[in-house]
Amino acid sequence: MSMKPAAGHSQDHHGGYAQQASVKGDWLVKLPGSISTRDAMAIGTAGFTAMLSVLALEHSGINPERGDILVTGASGGVGSVSIAILAELRYRVTASSGKSVEADYLKSLGASEVMDRALLSEDGPPLGADRWAGAVDAVGGKTLVNILSQTKYRGAVTTCGFVGGMELPASILPFILRGITLCGIDSVNAPQSLREVAWKRLATDLDLRKLGSMVSEVGLNEVRGVAENMLQGKVRGRTLVDVNR
């Protein structure tokens, strides 16, 4: 079973750093047979969010023939899983990352190109050269502003993070001159029907071998250190916690 992120463990409910937790039955989603419970924990909220982002792009009519898809925060959990899913669906993916050492890793997940995130963090024109048919943005702030200015006519951009800032000092021009769509991704209160669709699609559209290459495993007593490294941008992909060690 997969658990709904709305459980809010260690935020609203006890059990976030425990070996067992008591939860409401309607927080659970039955896993497709091809996904093990270990796979489900490796996918986690980040992978679930990535799948919701891909579904939102599809809902906006963005298919592989429309052009390149940009993924920001590419070496993180949402970014890594997004790249793997999009590549499996035959999209051409450009990965944006501040870690040049991760280029080979990102290409192994399916990225066709890796670009320096600095190119998206500088001030740019309100309406730039159109580059992206769609984007999965996990950064926010000025990065998201620049993505919007570079999105093609009737393109779509999903947003799910704000490590780059919560402000959006953007121009309205991309919306009214190019008709683009900005899709907010909420993994916490997603309805049951959408969660079921997302997990079914994860079973068919995520290469579990690629998922395995993203995962590092730690014990429960190592979680604090991992969290500190994550805040410093030192964590790649997904971290699986073995609660029994």
Side-chain angles (χ1 to χ4, degrees), residues 144-160:
L144 178 55
V145 172
N146 282 316
I147 294 170
L148 295 172
S149 78
Q150 297 173 12
T151 299
K152 294 181 179 181
Y153 181 71
R154 297 192 67 80
V157 177
T158 70
T159 179
C160 64

Side-chain angles (χ1 to χ4, degrees), residues 105-121:
Y105 163 73
L106 296 171
K107 289 182 178 179
S108 75
L109 297 180
S112 299
E113 181 182 350
V114 179
M115 64 179 288
D116 191 331
R117 69 180 178 195
L119 297 174
L120 293 168
S121 61

Side-chain angles (χ1 to χ4, degrees), residues 4-17 21-24 27:
K4 181 180 179 182
H9 282 165
S10 65
Q11 297 175 41
D12 303 319
H13 306 275
H14 294 299
Y17 297 98
S22 176
V23 302
K24 296 179 181 179
W27 287 356

Side-chain angles (χ1 to χ4, degrees), residues 178-229:
R178 290 183 179 162
I180 69 170
T181 299
L182 178 60
C183 310
I185 303 300
D186 166 39
S187 61
V188 175
N189 295 305
Q192 179 78 1
S193 58
L194 180 58
R195 289 189 284 131
E196 291 173 352
V197 169
W199 281 100
K200 287 178 181 178
R201 289 289 301 275
L202 282 162
T204 59
D205 300 337
L206 176 60
D207 185 333
L208 295 181
R209 293 169 298 180
K210 288 183 179 179
L211 176 67
S213 73
M214 305 175 198
V215 175
S216 58
E217 188 170 320
V218 300
L220 191 58
N221 63 346
E222 299 174 80
V223 168
R224 182 183 294 274
V226 171
E228 291 172 353
N229 287 335

Side-chain angles (χ1 to χ4, degrees), residues 25-88:
D26 60 5
W27 287 356
L28 304 177
V29 178
K30 183 175 176 59
L31 286 174
S34 60
I35 296 181
S36 69
T37 52
R38 187 183 192 280
D39 293 334
M41 292 300 97
I43 291 168
T45 301
F48 174 69
T49 301
M51 190 70 250
L52 291 180
S53 300
V54 174
L55 290 172
L57 291 179
E58 292 179 343
H59 183 72
S60 298
I62 309 303
N63 56 45
E65 289 69 38
R66 292 282 300 274
D68 290 6
I69 305 296
L70 175 68
V71 176
T72 66
S75 64
V78 174
S80 294
V81 179
S82 294
I83 292 170
I85 294 171
L86 289 165
E88 187 73 12

